[in-house]
Amino acid sequence: MNSQSLWKERYQAAMTETVKYTRYMANGGLLFTVYFVILYGLVVYGRFLDQLDPSFPGRFVMAALFLILPLYRTSRTFLVEADQVFLLPVLAKLSSFMQQVRAYNAVFGIIRAVIPFLAVVVLYVRTEQTTPLELVLLGVALALFGAAANLSKLEGIAHRTVLLYAFGAALLVIIDMAWMTIVVALLLMVVLHLKRQDHLPLREWIALEQESRDRFYRLANWFVDVPHLSATYKRRRLLSNMVERIPYRAQTTFDYLYVKQFIRSGDGIGLIVRLTLIGAVFMWLASGNELFVALAIPAFAGLTSFQLAPFTKAVDQHLLTRLLPFGNAVQAKRKIIRFAAISQCIVLTLLGFFLSGSIYVVGGAALALVIGEYYARK
Amino acid sequence: MLLDIKDLSGGYGSKTVLHDINIEVDRGELVGLIGLNGAGKSTTIKHILGLLPVKTGSVRINGLDLTTNETEYRRQVAYIPEQPMLYEQLTLREHLRLMAQGYDVEEAIATERAQHYAERLRMTKQLEWFPSVFSKGMKQKAMILCALVTGSELLIVDEPFVGLDPLAIRELLQIFSELKQDGKGILMSTHILETAERHCNRFVLLHEGHIAAEGTTTALRARYGLQDGTLDDLYVAAIEEAEL
């Protein structure tokens, strides 16, 4: 197998899989909620822009984008575990494959940067004195940072290096020298070029691919069941110590197991924190409209409960769970979903009162609790 | 009788793997379940654990049947699988608490038992670790600890020595010996016949879903006329006879 045919074969296989899951996702029930949230977000953002005060610090938002974008970096390499055995004989002849992988990740990074740039630039032009050339340079600089973030991971370059350059670019935006960001971005690209890997780091690239696939599978898993999804868990020592206080009784075995799963997985408490924060931002952006603020509560409660409902899947499908005398799983799961729904509802309701002071918020909260209960009983 | 399998036929879906087998394990006994790959050892274990439905016959542990009282049935038996299966989201200490809690073991006893066996298998340092950082041998030891902390009457053990270091193997065999003295029963599936010969009280030799031979080493030697035969020799003789 040569470098070119390897790339072609792997890329096609990856695209086939991506298309397959995208089709499943497009048919999933959650997509309607996602459409709703996106449309809701667009409307809220549009109204926010209409009412925007020209003194709003738009440059800080653009600077924040420069900082936030490279925080997340993901690289695909299209390699699989078996390659650490079967690619060994041709390892020295894979430079063309490496170039293709780099190009893919750069393009993907650019696309990832352009979408938020388009969202922020409409705010930026309303609040800052700028020229079309400066906007183009800003866009290109941000796109390069998007590409650099992915490429740096591929080349094994420390994340802090990219973040340092991003910080420099953000500072330039703040001090009204936005056009200079392109220089910083180009400098970073030069650094990446000088530090690029000459030989394919097989094990590292296989791990990167696994990590990237897991991210995609986790996203797809919101919509459809993804087999063999490997999950990552965080220790969360403080919360974990609190869970140890669950009474030690045979009847509460599932409570213990599920709560540990809930606090340590990204599908549990991580999901609730993320969606509550996003909901809070939406409510803040819509704070001029009482109805929108109130509607955000059930919308985000629905989105959270829908995604939270299958959080026990990893435990339920485990052979140990089927083998052992653990007690009542259904009740334990319901307790957690109810607790999560009520906690999130309290936070969003209080925020709703703070932002709008409207009685509509009570209606939104009641609807949110009904949705939470529906998913708890499902 | 601790484990009483009577006229069991079973398998996967419509495929029958086991044909009318009878196996008994009494208190204080370590019974070796041996056979070629595909002989039906794992299928037998899955039936005991209730992972496969029984077609005909019965499986009872301590007089209990899975269909009449599943929770109590499961509390009678602990399982050490060939492939370790641990929850990725729990540390070893949390696994041990979970197991003990599920098996309704008194908390103080569970803590003491966990510490005792963790020390003997040299796993005290790993108690706060997640399985993702365990070596293969550590995972196997973790599964052994999980089974031991339950204090169940019957232990089902599938290839327990795979991945274990020599010290751990020696310690595990010593623990099995102590469990037997405490009146527990053990059914162990293994291919390591030399160890099995030295430590098992009896053997059940499965071949193509049938019991080809069973009994003590002495009885098997007498049956096959191999007075100085090792378990390896007896195993080969039993297979040859079954295939005639």
PDB file of all heavy atoms in Angstrom, chain A residues 235 244 246 248-250 252 256 260-261 264 315 318 321 323 325, chain B residues 74-75 79 85-87 89 94 97 99-103 105 128:
ATOM      1  N   ARG A 235     -12.206  12.706  37.719  1.00  0.00           N
ATOM      2  CA  ARG A 235     -12.311  12.210  39.097  1.00  0.00           C
ATOM      3  C   ARG A 235     -13.298  13.042  39.919  1.00  0.00           C
ATOM      4  O   ARG A 235     -14.076  12.516  40.683  1.00  0.00           O
ATOM      5  CB  ARG A 235     -10.929  12.215  39.764  1.00  0.00           C
ATOM      6  CG  ARG A 235     -10.925  11.578  41.149  1.00  0.00           C
ATOM      7  CD  ARG A 235      -9.544  11.556  41.739  1.00  0.00           C
ATOM      8  NE  ARG A 235      -8.709  10.541  41.171  1.00  0.00           N
ATOM      9  CZ  ARG A 235      -8.589   9.308  41.644  1.00  0.00           C
ATOM     10  NH1 ARG A 235      -9.283   8.963  42.717  1.00  0.00           N
ATOM     11  NH2 ARG A 235      -7.795   8.447  41.068  1.00  0.00           N
ATOM     12  N   GLU A 244     -19.948   9.642  48.495  1.00  0.00           N
ATOM     13  CA  GLU A 244     -19.631   8.574  49.456  1.00  0.00           C
ATOM     14  C   GLU A 244     -20.582   8.589  50.649  1.00  0.00           C
ATOM     15  O   GLU A 244     -20.659   7.640  51.414  1.00  0.00           O
ATOM     16  CB  GLU A 244     -18.185   8.702  49.943  1.00  0.00           C
ATOM     17  CG  GLU A 244     -17.134   8.426  48.882  1.00  0.00           C
ATOM     18  CD  GLU A 244     -17.195   7.016  48.308  1.00  0.00           C
ATOM     19  OE1 GLU A 244     -17.453   6.080  49.066  1.00  0.00           O
ATOM     20  OE2 GLU A 244     -17.021   6.883  47.083  1.00  0.00           O
ATOM     21  N   ILE A 246     -23.774   8.659  50.408  1.00  0.00           N
ATOM     22  CA  ILE A 246     -25.001   7.890  50.108  1.00  0.00           C
ATOM     23  C   ILE A 246     -25.033   6.688  51.043  1.00  0.00           C
ATOM     24  O   ILE A 246     -24.034   5.978  51.173  1.00  0.00           O
ATOM     25  CB  ILE A 246     -25.005   7.420  48.627  1.00  0.00           C
ATOM     26  CG1 ILE A 246     -25.238   8.622  47.718  1.00  0.00           C
ATOM     27  CG2 ILE A 246     -26.067   6.362  48.376  1.00  0.00           C
ATOM     28  CD1 ILE A 246     -25.192   8.297  46.236  1.00  0.00           C
ATOM     29  N   TYR A 248     -24.978   3.365  52.923  1.00  0.00           N
ATOM     30  CA  TYR A 248     -24.462   2.066  52.499  1.00  0.00           C
ATOM     31  C   TYR A 248     -25.545   1.015  52.757  1.00  0.00           C
ATOM     32  O   TYR A 248     -25.664   0.488  53.867  1.00  0.00           O
ATOM     33  CB  TYR A 248     -23.179   1.766  53.288  1.00  0.00           C
ATOM     34  CG  TYR A 248     -22.552   0.440  52.970  1.00  0.00           C
ATOM     35  CD1 TYR A 248     -21.558   0.320  52.006  1.00  0.00           C
ATOM     36  CD2 TYR A 248     -22.951  -0.716  53.641  1.00  0.00           C
ATOM     37  CE1 TYR A 248     -20.990  -0.908  51.715  1.00  0.00           C
ATOM     38  CE2 TYR A 248     -22.384  -1.943  53.358  1.00  0.00           C
ATOM     39  CZ  TYR A 248     -21.405  -2.027  52.403  1.00  0.00           C
ATOM     40  OH  TYR A 248     -20.839  -3.245  52.118  1.00  0.00           O
ATOM     41  N   ARG A 249     -26.383   0.809  51.748  1.00  0.00           N
ATOM     42  CA  ARG A 249     -27.425  -0.220  51.857  1.00  0.00           C
ATOM     43  C   ARG A 249     -27.549  -0.904  50.504  1.00  0.00           C
ATOM     44  O   ARG A 249     -27.335  -0.270  49.462  1.00  0.00           O
ATOM     45  CB  ARG A 249     -28.784   0.409  52.197  1.00  0.00           C
ATOM     46  CG  ARG A 249     -28.887   1.033  53.581  1.00  0.00           C
ATOM     47  CD  ARG A 249     -30.364   1.207  53.966  1.00  0.00           C
ATOM     48  NE  ARG A 249     -31.125   1.836  52.907  1.00  0.00           N
ATOM     49  CZ  ARG A 249     -31.359   3.144  52.830  1.00  0.00           C
ATOM     50  NH1 ARG A 249     -30.859   3.949  53.747  1.00  0.00           N
ATOM     51  NH2 ARG A 249     -32.073   3.638  51.839  1.00  0.00           N
ATOM     52  N   ALA A 250     -27.922  -2.172  50.537  1.00  0.00           N
ATOM     53  CA  ALA A 250     -28.040  -2.911  49.273  1.00  0.00           C
ATOM     54  C   ALA A 250     -29.028  -2.225  48.330  1.00  0.00           C
ATOM     55  O   ALA A 250     -28.830  -2.177  47.118  1.00  0.00           O
ATOM     56  CB  ALA A 250     -28.483  -4.344  49.553  1.00  0.00           C
ATOM     57  N   THR A 252     -29.569   0.847  47.880  1.00  0.00           N
ATOM     58  CA  THR A 252     -29.106   2.099  47.262  1.00  0.00           C
ATOM     59  C   THR A 252     -27.858   1.883  46.393  1.00  0.00           C
ATOM     60  O   THR A 252     -27.154   2.832  46.052  1.00  0.00           O
ATOM     61  CB  THR A 252     -28.772   3.156  48.342  1.00  0.00           C
ATOM     62  OG1 THR A 252     -27.789   2.605  49.214  1.00  0.00           O
ATOM     63  CG2 THR A 252     -29.990   3.609  49.107  1.00  0.00           C
ATOM     64  N   TYR A 256     -25.682   4.785  44.162  1.00  0.00           N
ATOM     65  CA  TYR A 256     -24.236   5.032  44.264  1.00  0.00           C
ATOM     66  C   TYR A 256     -23.579   4.965  42.878  1.00  0.00           C
ATOM     67  O   TYR A 256     -22.836   5.866  42.480  1.00  0.00           O
ATOM     68  CB  TYR A 256     -23.628   3.985  45.195  1.00  0.00           C
ATOM     69  CG  TYR A 256     -22.146   4.133  45.418  1.00  0.00           C
ATOM     70  CD1 TYR A 256     -21.641   5.132  46.247  1.00  0.00           C
ATOM     71  CD2 TYR A 256     -21.248   3.273  44.811  1.00  0.00           C
ATOM     72  CE1 TYR A 256     -20.281   5.262  46.455  1.00  0.00           C
ATOM     73  CE2 TYR A 256     -19.888   3.397  45.003  1.00  0.00           C
ATOM     74  CZ  TYR A 256     -19.411   4.383  45.836  1.00  0.00           C
ATOM     75  OH  TYR A 256     -18.058   4.518  46.026  1.00  0.00           O
ATOM     76  N   LYS A 260     -22.208   8.319  40.732  1.00  0.00           N
ATOM     77  CA  LYS A 260     -20.784   8.398  40.341  1.00  0.00           C
ATOM     78  C   LYS A 260     -20.675   8.627  38.833  1.00  0.00           C
ATOM     79  O   LYS A 260     -19.878   9.426  38.374  1.00  0.00           O
ATOM     80  CB  LYS A 260     -20.053   7.096  40.710  1.00  0.00           C
ATOM     81  CG  LYS A 260     -19.778   6.941  42.196  1.00  0.00           C
ATOM     82  CD  LYS A 260     -18.535   7.678  42.633  1.00  0.00           C
ATOM     83  CE  LYS A 260     -18.335   7.500  44.135  1.00  0.00           C
ATOM     84  NZ  LYS A 260     -17.200   8.222  44.667  1.00  0.00           N
ATOM     85  N   GLN A 261     -21.483   7.896  38.077  1.00  0.00           N
ATOM     86  CA  GLN A 261     -21.493   8.069  36.626  1.00  0.00           C
ATOM     87  C   GLN A 261     -21.907   9.503  36.279  1.00  0.00           C
ATOM     88  O   GLN A 261     -21.306  10.147  35.429  1.00  0.00           O
ATOM     89  CB  GLN A 261     -22.469   7.043  36.012  1.00  0.00           C
ATOM     90  CG  GLN A 261     -22.896   7.310  34.581  1.00  0.00           C
ATOM     91  CD  GLN A 261     -21.804   6.958  33.581  1.00  0.00           C
ATOM     92  OE1 GLN A 261     -20.807   6.344  33.928  1.00  0.00           O
ATOM     93  NE2 GLN A 261     -21.983   7.381  32.344  1.00  0.00           N
ATOM     94  N   ARG A 264     -19.136  12.114  37.088  1.00  0.00           N
ATOM     95  CA  ARG A 264     -17.819  11.968  36.451  1.00  0.00           C
ATOM     96  C   ARG A 264     -17.856  12.016  34.928  1.00  0.00           C
ATOM     97  O   ARG A 264     -16.823  12.223  34.301  1.00  0.00           O
ATOM     98  CB  ARG A 264     -17.178  10.653  36.890  1.00  0.00           C
ATOM     99  CG  ARG A 264     -16.648  10.768  38.297  1.00  0.00           C
ATOM    100  CD  ARG A 264     -15.936   9.541  38.743  1.00  0.00           C
ATOM    101  NE  ARG A 264     -15.277   9.788  40.015  1.00  0.00           N
ATOM    102  CZ  ARG A 264     -14.988   8.877  40.901  1.00  0.00           C
ATOM    103  NH1 ARG A 264     -15.289   7.621  40.653  1.00  0.00           N
ATOM    104  NH2 ARG A 264     -14.389   9.195  42.012  1.00  0.00           N
ATOM    105  N   VAL A 315     -23.417   2.407  32.027  1.00  0.00           N
ATOM    106  CA  VAL A 315     -23.517   1.497  33.180  1.00  0.00           C
ATOM    107  C   VAL A 315     -24.458   0.340  32.848  1.00  0.00           C
ATOM    108  O   VAL A 315     -24.135  -0.823  33.101  1.00  0.00           O
ATOM    109  CB  VAL A 315     -24.042   2.267  34.415  1.00  0.00           C
ATOM    110  CG1 VAL A 315     -24.409   1.316  35.524  1.00  0.00           C
ATOM    111  CG2 VAL A 315     -23.001   3.270  34.894  1.00  0.00           C
ATOM    112  N   HIS A 318     -23.103  -2.480  30.795  1.00  0.00           N
ATOM    113  CA  HIS A 318     -21.932  -3.175  31.329  1.00  0.00           C
ATOM    114  C   HIS A 318     -22.326  -4.552  31.855  1.00  0.00           C
ATOM    115  O   HIS A 318     -23.360  -4.693  32.515  1.00  0.00           O
ATOM    116  CB  HIS A 318     -21.347  -2.331  32.464  1.00  0.00           C
ATOM    117  CG  HIS A 318     -19.921  -2.618  32.743  1.00  0.00           C
ATOM    118  ND1 HIS A 318     -19.527  -3.752  33.390  1.00  0.00           N
ATOM    119  CD2 HIS A 318     -18.787  -1.934  32.469  1.00  0.00           C
ATOM    120  CE1 HIS A 318     -18.210  -3.750  33.496  1.00  0.00           C
ATOM    121  NE2 HIS A 318     -17.742  -2.651  32.940  1.00  0.00           N
ATOM    122  N   THR A 321     -23.189  -5.031  35.533  1.00  0.00           N
ATOM    123  CA  THR A 321     -24.511  -4.564  35.960  1.00  0.00           C
ATOM    124  C   THR A 321     -25.548  -5.666  35.773  1.00  0.00           C
ATOM    125  O   THR A 321     -26.469  -5.806  36.577  1.00  0.00           O
ATOM    126  CB  THR A 321     -24.917  -3.316  35.149  1.00  0.00           C
ATOM    127  OG1 THR A 321     -23.816  -2.426  35.098  1.00  0.00           O
ATOM    128  CG2 THR A 321     -26.107  -2.618  35.752  1.00  0.00           C
ATOM    129  N   LEU A 323     -24.912  -8.819  35.879  1.00  0.00           N
ATOM    130  CA  LEU A 323     -24.561  -9.999  36.674  1.00  0.00           C
ATOM    131  C   LEU A 323     -24.872  -9.842  38.162  1.00  0.00           C
ATOM    132  O   LEU A 323     -25.048 -10.827  38.859  1.00  0.00           O
ATOM    133  CB  LEU A 323     -23.061 -10.250  36.569  1.00  0.00           C
ATOM    134  CG  LEU A 323     -22.548 -10.993  35.363  1.00  0.00           C
ATOM    135  CD1 LEU A 323     -21.044 -11.075  35.416  1.00  0.00           C
ATOM    136  CD2 LEU A 323     -23.153 -12.385  35.343  1.00  0.00           C
ATOM    137  N   PRO A 325     -26.355  -8.349  41.938  1.00  0.00           N
ATOM    138  CA  PRO A 325     -27.637  -8.057  42.599  1.00  0.00           C
ATOM    139  C   PRO A 325     -27.688  -6.611  43.096  1.00  0.00           C
ATOM    140  O   PRO A 325     -27.563  -6.343  44.278  1.00  0.00           O
ATOM    141  CB  PRO A 325     -27.630  -9.048  43.774  1.00  0.00           C
ATOM    142  CG  PRO A 325     -26.196  -9.261  44.086  1.00  0.00           C
ATOM    143  CD  PRO A 325     -25.422  -9.067  42.824  1.00  0.00           C
TER     144      PRO A 325
ATOM    145  N   ARG B  74     -28.262 -14.414  42.887  1.00  0.00           N
ATOM    146  CA  ARG B  74     -27.023 -13.731  42.477  1.00  0.00           C
ATOM    147  C   ARG B  74     -26.102 -13.467  43.657  1.00  0.00           C
ATOM    148  O   ARG B  74     -24.891 -13.398  43.504  1.00  0.00           O
ATOM    149  CB  ARG B  74     -27.355 -12.430  41.742  1.00  0.00           C
ATOM    150  CG  ARG B  74     -28.046 -12.648  40.418  1.00  0.00           C
ATOM    151  CD  ARG B  74     -27.910 -11.478  39.488  1.00  0.00           C
ATOM    152  NE  ARG B  74     -28.594 -11.700  38.221  1.00  0.00           N
ATOM    153  CZ  ARG B  74     -28.126 -12.470  37.244  1.00  0.00           C
ATOM    154  NH1 ARG B  74     -26.974 -13.071  37.368  1.00  0.00           N
ATOM    155  NH2 ARG B  74     -28.811 -12.636  36.131  1.00  0.00           N
ATOM    156  N   ARG B  75     -26.696 -13.281  44.830  1.00  0.00           N
ATOM    157  CA  ARG B  75     -25.846 -13.037  46.012  1.00  0.00           C
ATOM    158  C   ARG B  75     -25.075 -14.286  46.442  1.00  0.00           C
ATOM    159  O   ARG B  75     -24.126 -14.195  47.207  1.00  0.00           O
ATOM    160  CB  ARG B  75     -26.698 -12.525  47.174  1.00  0.00           C
ATOM    161  CG  ARG B  75     -27.016 -11.062  47.006  1.00  0.00           C
ATOM    162  CD  ARG B  75     -27.711 -10.476  48.199  1.00  0.00           C
ATOM    163  NE  ARG B  75     -28.080  -9.100  47.889  1.00  0.00           N
ATOM    164  CZ  ARG B  75     -29.144  -8.484  48.344  1.00  0.00           C
ATOM    165  NH1 ARG B  75     -29.957  -9.110  49.171  1.00  0.00           N
ATOM    166  NH2 ARG B  75     -29.386  -7.248  48.002  1.00  0.00           N
ATOM    167  N   TYR B  79     -18.148 -13.966  40.626  1.00  0.00           N
ATOM    168  CA  TYR B  79     -17.586 -14.399  39.349  1.00  0.00           C
ATOM    169  C   TYR B  79     -16.273 -13.680  39.067  1.00  0.00           C
ATOM    170  O   TYR B  79     -16.176 -12.465  39.191  1.00  0.00           O
ATOM    171  CB  TYR B  79     -18.620 -14.100  38.258  1.00  0.00           C
ATOM    172  CG  TYR B  79     -18.198 -14.324  36.828  1.00  0.00           C
ATOM    173  CD1 TYR B  79     -17.567 -15.498  36.431  1.00  0.00           C
ATOM    174  CD2 TYR B  79     -18.476 -13.364  35.858  1.00  0.00           C
ATOM    175  CE1 TYR B  79     -17.216 -15.696  35.100  1.00  0.00           C
ATOM    176  CE2 TYR B  79     -18.135 -13.565  34.527  1.00  0.00           C
ATOM    177  CZ  TYR B  79     -17.495 -14.732  34.159  1.00  0.00           C
ATOM    178  OH  TYR B  79     -17.149 -14.930  32.849  1.00  0.00           O
ATOM    179  N   MET B  85     -13.589  -6.990  33.523  1.00  0.00           N
ATOM    180  CA  MET B  85     -14.608  -6.002  33.114  1.00  0.00           C
ATOM    181  C   MET B  85     -14.886  -5.115  34.315  1.00  0.00           C
ATOM    182  O   MET B  85     -15.537  -5.528  35.263  1.00  0.00           O
ATOM    183  CB  MET B  85     -15.866  -6.706  32.624  1.00  0.00           C
ATOM    184  CG  MET B  85     -16.281  -7.874  33.457  1.00  0.00           C
ATOM    185  SD  MET B  85     -17.685  -8.685  32.739  1.00  0.00           S
ATOM    186  CE  MET B  85     -18.159  -9.771  34.067  1.00  0.00           C
ATOM    187  N   LEU B  86     -14.364  -3.924  34.239  1.00  0.00           N
ATOM    188  CA  LEU B  86     -14.498  -2.989  35.351  1.00  0.00           C
ATOM    189  C   LEU B  86     -15.212  -1.737  34.858  1.00  0.00           C
ATOM    190  O   LEU B  86     -15.183  -1.430  33.674  1.00  0.00           O
ATOM    191  CB  LEU B  86     -13.111  -2.626  35.890  1.00  0.00           C
ATOM    192  CG  LEU B  86     -12.360  -3.789  36.542  1.00  0.00           C
ATOM    193  CD1 LEU B  86     -10.856  -3.581  36.456  1.00  0.00           C
ATOM    194  CD2 LEU B  86     -12.783  -3.970  37.985  1.00  0.00           C
ATOM    195  N   TYR B  87     -15.832  -1.019  35.779  1.00  0.00           N
ATOM    196  CA  TYR B  87     -16.445   0.260  35.409  1.00  0.00           C
ATOM    197  C   TYR B  87     -15.348   1.305  35.274  1.00  0.00           C
ATOM    198  O   TYR B  87     -14.592   1.542  36.232  1.00  0.00           O
ATOM    199  CB  TYR B  87     -17.426   0.707  36.488  1.00  0.00           C
ATOM    200  CG  TYR B  87     -18.657  -0.156  36.623  1.00  0.00           C
ATOM    201  CD1 TYR B  87     -18.840  -0.966  37.736  1.00  0.00           C
ATOM    202  CD2 TYR B  87     -19.642  -0.147  35.653  1.00  0.00           C
ATOM    203  CE1 TYR B  87     -19.977  -1.754  37.871  1.00  0.00           C
ATOM    204  CE2 TYR B  87     -20.767  -0.937  35.772  1.00  0.00           C
ATOM    205  CZ  TYR B  87     -20.936  -1.732  36.885  1.00  0.00           C
ATOM    206  OH  TYR B  87     -22.050  -2.511  37.004  1.00  0.00           O
ATOM    207  N   GLN B  89     -15.599   4.368  35.267  1.00  0.00           N
ATOM    208  CA  GLN B  89     -15.859   5.583  36.045  1.00  0.00           C
ATOM    209  C   GLN B  89     -15.667   5.401  37.542  1.00  0.00           C
ATOM    210  O   GLN B  89     -15.888   6.337  38.300  1.00  0.00           O
ATOM    211  CB  GLN B  89     -17.270   6.113  35.769  1.00  0.00           C
ATOM    212  CG  GLN B  89     -18.407   5.157  36.067  1.00  0.00           C
ATOM    213  CD  GLN B  89     -18.716   4.255  34.900  1.00  0.00           C
ATOM    214  OE1 GLN B  89     -17.833   3.673  34.290  1.00  0.00           O
ATOM    215  NE2 GLN B  89     -19.989   4.128  34.572  1.00  0.00           N
ATOM    216  N   GLU B  94     -13.912   2.112  45.030  1.00  0.00           N
ATOM    217  CA  GLU B  94     -15.347   2.292  44.790  1.00  0.00           C
ATOM    218  C   GLU B  94     -15.983   1.011  44.234  1.00  0.00           C
ATOM    219  O   GLU B  94     -17.128   0.691  44.566  1.00  0.00           O
ATOM    220  CB  GLU B  94     -15.572   3.473  43.841  1.00  0.00           C
ATOM    221  CG  GLU B  94     -15.262   4.802  44.515  1.00  0.00           C
ATOM    222  CD  GLU B  94     -15.052   5.952  43.546  1.00  0.00           C
ATOM    223  OE1 GLU B  94     -15.053   5.728  42.316  1.00  0.00           O
ATOM    224  OE2 GLU B  94     -14.868   7.087  44.025  1.00  0.00           O
ATOM    225  N   ARG B  97     -16.564  -1.150  47.246  1.00  0.00           N
ATOM    226  CA  ARG B  97     -17.740  -0.719  48.021  1.00  0.00           C
ATOM    227  C   ARG B  97     -19.020  -1.143  47.292  1.00  0.00           C
ATOM    228  O   ARG B  97     -19.955  -1.661  47.906  1.00  0.00           O
ATOM    229  CB  ARG B  97     -17.726   0.803  48.213  1.00  0.00           C
ATOM    230  CG  ARG B  97     -19.041   1.270  48.817  1.00  0.00           C
ATOM    231  CD  ARG B  97     -19.242   2.738  48.924  1.00  0.00           C
ATOM    232  NE  ARG B  97     -20.682   2.974  49.043  1.00  0.00           N
ATOM    233  CZ  ARG B  97     -21.230   4.018  49.600  1.00  0.00           C
ATOM    234  NH1 ARG B  97     -20.472   4.960  50.107  1.00  0.00           N
ATOM    235  NH2 ARG B  97     -22.537   4.163  49.674  1.00  0.00           N
ATOM    236  N   MET B  99     -19.557  -3.526  45.127  1.00  0.00           N
ATOM    237  CA  MET B  99     -19.798  -4.968  45.164  1.00  0.00           C
ATOM    238  C   MET B  99     -20.337  -5.392  46.532  1.00  0.00           C
ATOM    239  O   MET B  99     -21.336  -6.107  46.627  1.00  0.00           O
ATOM    240  CB  MET B  99     -18.499  -5.746  44.890  1.00  0.00           C
ATOM    241  CG  MET B  99     -17.923  -5.530  43.521  1.00  0.00           C
ATOM    242  SD  MET B  99     -18.952  -6.171  42.220  1.00  0.00           S
ATOM    243  CE  MET B  99     -18.786  -7.907  42.442  1.00  0.00           C
ATOM    244  N   ALA B 100     -19.669  -4.916  47.556  1.00  0.00           N
ATOM    245  CA  ALA B 100     -20.071  -5.298  48.917  1.00  0.00           C
ATOM    246  C   ALA B 100     -21.480  -4.809  49.213  1.00  0.00           C
ATOM    247  O   ALA B 100     -22.299  -5.521  49.804  1.00  0.00           O
ATOM    248  CB  ALA B 100     -19.072  -4.737  49.915  1.00  0.00           C
ATOM    249  N   GLN B 101     -21.768  -3.579  48.773  1.00  0.00           N
ATOM    250  CA  GLN B 101     -23.091  -3.000  49.004  1.00  0.00           C
ATOM    251  C   GLN B 101     -24.159  -3.826  48.277  1.00  0.00           C
ATOM    252  O   GLN B 101     -25.187  -4.159  48.855  1.00  0.00           O
ATOM    253  CB  GLN B 101     -23.066  -1.564  48.471  1.00  0.00           C
ATOM    254  CG  GLN B 101     -24.186  -0.694  48.981  1.00  0.00           C
ATOM    255  CD  GLN B 101     -24.015   0.753  48.528  1.00  0.00           C
ATOM    256  OE1 GLN B 101     -22.917   1.200  48.216  1.00  0.00           O
ATOM    257  NE2 GLN B 101     -25.110   1.490  48.506  1.00  0.00           N
ATOM    258  N   GLY B 102     -23.899  -4.151  47.019  1.00  0.00           N
ATOM    259  CA  GLY B 102     -24.853  -4.929  46.234  1.00  0.00           C
ATOM    260  C   GLY B 102     -25.085  -6.318  46.823  1.00  0.00           C
ATOM    261  O   GLY B 102     -26.188  -6.832  46.788  1.00  0.00           O
ATOM    262  N   TYR B 103     -24.031  -6.890  47.380  1.00  0.00           N
ATOM    263  CA  TYR B 103     -24.141  -8.244  47.952  1.00  0.00           C
ATOM    264  C   TYR B 103     -24.575  -8.196  49.413  1.00  0.00           C
ATOM    265  O   TYR B 103     -24.559  -9.220  50.102  1.00  0.00           O
ATOM    266  CB  TYR B 103     -22.796  -8.973  47.829  1.00  0.00           C
ATOM    267  CG  TYR B 103     -22.604  -9.620  46.478  1.00  0.00           C
ATOM    268  CD1 TYR B 103     -22.221  -8.873  45.369  1.00  0.00           C
ATOM    269  CD2 TYR B 103     -22.797 -10.986  46.293  1.00  0.00           C
ATOM    270  CE1 TYR B 103     -22.049  -9.456  44.122  1.00  0.00           C
ATOM    271  CE2 TYR B 103     -22.622 -11.590  45.052  1.00  0.00           C
ATOM    272  CZ  TYR B 103     -22.257 -10.816  43.970  1.00  0.00           C
ATOM    273  OH  TYR B 103     -22.098 -11.402  42.746  1.00  0.00           O
ATOM    274  N   VAL B 105     -23.182  -6.972  52.083  1.00  0.00           N
ATOM    275  CA  VAL B 105     -22.152  -7.306  53.076  1.00  0.00           C
ATOM    276  C   VAL B 105     -22.080  -6.144  54.066  1.00  0.00           C
ATOM    277  O   VAL B 105     -22.120  -4.988  53.652  1.00  0.00           O
ATOM    278  CB  VAL B 105     -20.767  -7.463  52.404  1.00  0.00           C
ATOM    279  CG1 VAL B 105     -19.688  -7.808  53.425  1.00  0.00           C
ATOM    280  CG2 VAL B 105     -20.829  -8.504  51.308  1.00  0.00           C
ATOM    281  N   GLU B 128      -7.072   3.703  44.932  1.00  0.00           N
ATOM    282  CA  GLU B 128      -7.680   4.966  44.478  1.00  0.00           C
ATOM    283  C   GLU B 128      -7.498   5.189  42.976  1.00  0.00           C
ATOM    284  O   GLU B 128      -7.803   6.255  42.467  1.00  0.00           O
ATOM    285  CB  GLU B 128      -7.081   6.159  45.242  1.00  0.00           C
ATOM    286  CG  GLU B 128      -7.149   6.060  46.756  1.00  0.00           C
ATOM    287  CD  GLU B 128      -8.576   5.868  47.275  1.00  0.00           C
ATOM    288  OE1 GLU B 128      -9.521   6.268  46.579  1.00  0.00           O
ATOM    289  OE2 GLU B 128      -8.728   5.281  48.362  1.00  0.00           O
TER     290      GLU B 128
END
